[in-house]
Amino acid sequence: PLAGPGSGLGAGGGIAGGLPGGPSAPAPGAPKGKRGAKNGPKGGPQNGALGGPDRVSGDTLVSGIPKIPGADGPSSPSPFATAPAGESAAPKPRPKIPEPINPPKKGRNKLVLLGVAVVVLAGVAYGAGLLLDHADVPNGTTALGVDIGGTTKEAAVKKLEAALKDRRTAPLKLTVDGKSVTLQPTKAGLDIDPQMTVRNAAGRDYNPVSVIGSLFGVDRTAKPAMIVDDEKLQIALQNVAGPAGAAQDGGITFENGKAVPHYGAPHKAIDVKASKEKVADAYRERATTGTDTPVVLAASTQQPQVSKAAVDKAMKQFAEPAMSGLVTVRTDATHAVSFSPQKSIPKFLSFKIVNGDLVPYYDRPALKQLYGDTFNGVLVAKGDGSKHPVSVEEVASAVGKALLGTTPAERIQTIGTNGS
């Protein structure tokens, strides 16, 4: 059957053509003249060169291929022996064994759950705080130590004004170079504005800390609206040691209806710039707590800020004309007010030091108190057609022109009301 057509075997049982290079050769070691070995014992197969039984025809070895030494015993398998057709002979890589995944720790899960719970509770508390607080001034709001929260703005203003009472106007106690003196807040330009304080504290507060805190009674402190007139405070502190102290720095005072010059000299005085902040803080502290502790202001040797020449200039150009006689301010024949050098002018007129010069200063509240209701009902027309009541600034401007007058006509000034 192996010798059929196309098998490669010749008709005599040998391989057609034999090995390359010549006819079939006898197997090595075979007796000369014999073509091959006989079959082994009866029934026992004879191994050929390719490891299978030799096909014989009589006594002739059909295969004609010499036996390869060591082919009978076991040998290393050829990598091509078991490789399926069409596959690479290279060995396949071993599959990678996945490493076991560590399960999450139980403690970590508890922390995550706890964090989620805290966030949820905070959100619920924030929403509840917004729903429960509908007042103009948020719950838990305090200003100057007064609880004004949970009310309307109008009610909060009244509550704050009633609680402050004399704290706003009572004299401040000062100690200047060991001497006890007082300072009037109204003359020093110090005050608290209750309406502005409440206005700043009103409105919804969406800060989570404030909203949630309002549910547990946590206070929300509103910043007080302080009024500080820097010019008035400086003048008040310059005169805090009395007229003599002001005169030592060079200036002008009014005595018995006359202007009196004072020439400066080295003297002991307070540091006005540093003292202004200290006094303002003490006033705010008293308004907040009611504590009236004296403010200690240290004095040191100061050189005069105003020279003799500057004092003489102010005397000639302004002080002497101002005190030369009566001045009148009016809007018409029925609305007029006069100021005299002996009584009223010294109450609102003084001088302040600006860059070494003496400049006139008008105390607006004192001036307004002097003319009182004189101009009630009088309206001043502006160029655009609008109208407004006579203001203290308009009166002060008219007074300033009248004080410089050198004739009786110039010492009477009229506030125009027709917009011209």
Side-chain angles (χ1 to χ4, degrees):
L2 296 177
S7 65
L9 298 179
I15 299 176
L19 296 174
S24 299
K32 187 177 181 182
K34 293 190 178 180
R35 304 216 24 162
K38 295 181 181 179
N39 291 338
K42 188 178 182 180
Q46 187 72 29
N47 291 335
L50 298 177
D54 291 335
R55 296 292 179 176
V56 295
S57 176
D59 293 333
T60 303
L61 180 64
V62 176
S63 68
I65 299 176
K67 186 178 181 181
I68 300 174
D72 291 338
S75 61
S76 299
S78 171
F80 304 97
T82 58
E87 293 191 9
S88 174
K92 294 183 178 180
R94 296 177 61 185
K96 186 176 181 180
I97 301 175
E99 298 180 359
I101 301 175
N102 294 330
K105 296 181 180 181
K106 293 182 179 180
R108 190 178 301 172
N109 288 338
K110 291 182 179 179
L111 289 176
V112 173
L113 292 175
L114 180 60
V116 172
V118 170
V119 172
V120 172
L121 289 175
V124 172
Y126 182 74
L130 291 176
L131 290 174
L132 294 176
D133 194 358
H134 297 288
D136 290 345
V137 182
N139 291 327
T141 302
T142 59
L144 297 168
V146 182
D147 183 7
I148 59 174
T151 63
T152 63
K153 288 185 287 187
E154 293 76 10
V157 170
K158 292 180 180 179
K159 192 173 183 180
L160 190 59
E161 289 176 338
L164 292 178
K165 291 183 179 179
D166 295 337
R167 295 187 199 176
R168 296 169 60 189
T169 58
L172 277 172
K173 297 178 182 179
L174 306 180
T175 301
V176 181
D177 198 26
K179 295 186 297 182
S180 297
V181 295
T182 59
L183 182 69
Q184 297 290 340
T186 53
K187 292 184 177 181
L190 298 174
D191 199 2
I192 299 290
D193 189 340
Q195 292 185 349
M196 183 60 69
T197 300
V198 172
R199 191 178 299 117
N200 293 339
R204 297 299 298 270
D205 187 354
Y206 293 98
N207 186 336
V209 176
S210 301
V211 173
I212 297 175
S214 66
L215 297 174
F216 302 96
V218 177
D219 288 340
R220 172 177 172 265
T221 303
K223 186 178 180 180
M226 276 277 296
I227 298 175
V228 180
D229 188 324
D230 193 72
E231 291 184 356
K232 293 182 68 173
L233 180 58
Q234 180 169 337
I235 293 173
L237 290 174
Q238 287 173 346
N239 291 277
V240 74
Q248 288 178 342
D249 205 3
I252 299 173
T253 59
F254 302 109
E255 301 174 14
N256 300 321
K258 299 292 181 180
V260 180
H262 300 277
Y263 300 109
H267 60 283
K268 293 191 72 174
I270 61 174
D271 184 343
V272 175
K273 184 176 181 180
S275 299
K276 285 193 293 185
E277 184 176 355
K278 196 170 184 179
V279 170
D281 290 342
Y283 179 77
R284 183 187 297 106
E285 180 67 18
R286 189 185 70 175
T288 304
T289 64
T291 304
D292 198 8
T293 304
V295 183
V296 179
L297 303 178
S300 60
T301 301
Q302 304 287 333
Q303 296 298 322
Q305 300 181 61
V306 183
S307 65
K308 181 178 183 300
V311 174
D312 291 340
K313 178 182 177 181
M315 280 286 296
K316 184 177 181 180
Q317 291 183 351
F318 190 84
E320 290 178 348
M323 302 299 287
S324 63
L326 197 72
V327 295
T328 302
V329 175
R330 66 186 182 182
T331 57
D332 51 56
T334 58
H335 297 86
V337 60
S338 297
F339 305 101
S340 67
Q342 290 77 17
K343 294 183 179 180
S344 52
I345 293 178
K347 290 182 179 180
F348 65 81
L349 177 62
S350 62
F351 291 87
K352 64 179 181 179
I353 301 173
V354 179
N355 298 325
D357 291 327
L358 292 177
V359 179
Y361 174 78
Y362 305 102
D363 187 339
R364 267 70 171 173
L367 179 61
K368 189 173 183 179
Q369 185 175 6
L370 286 172
Y371 70 76
D373 300 333
T374 301
F375 303 108
N376 282 2
V378 179
L379 297 178
V380 177
K382 298 178 66 175
D384 59 1
S386 61
K387 295 183 179 182
H388 65 270
V390 176
S391 68
V392 66
E393 292 297 333
E394 291 167 328
V395 175
S397 177
V399 166
K401 294 176 181 179
L403 290 173
L404 291 173
T406 56
T407 65
E410 291 176 344
R411 297 189 74 82
I412 301 174
Q413 294 291 322
T414 303
I415 300 174
T417 58
N418 60 0
S420 58

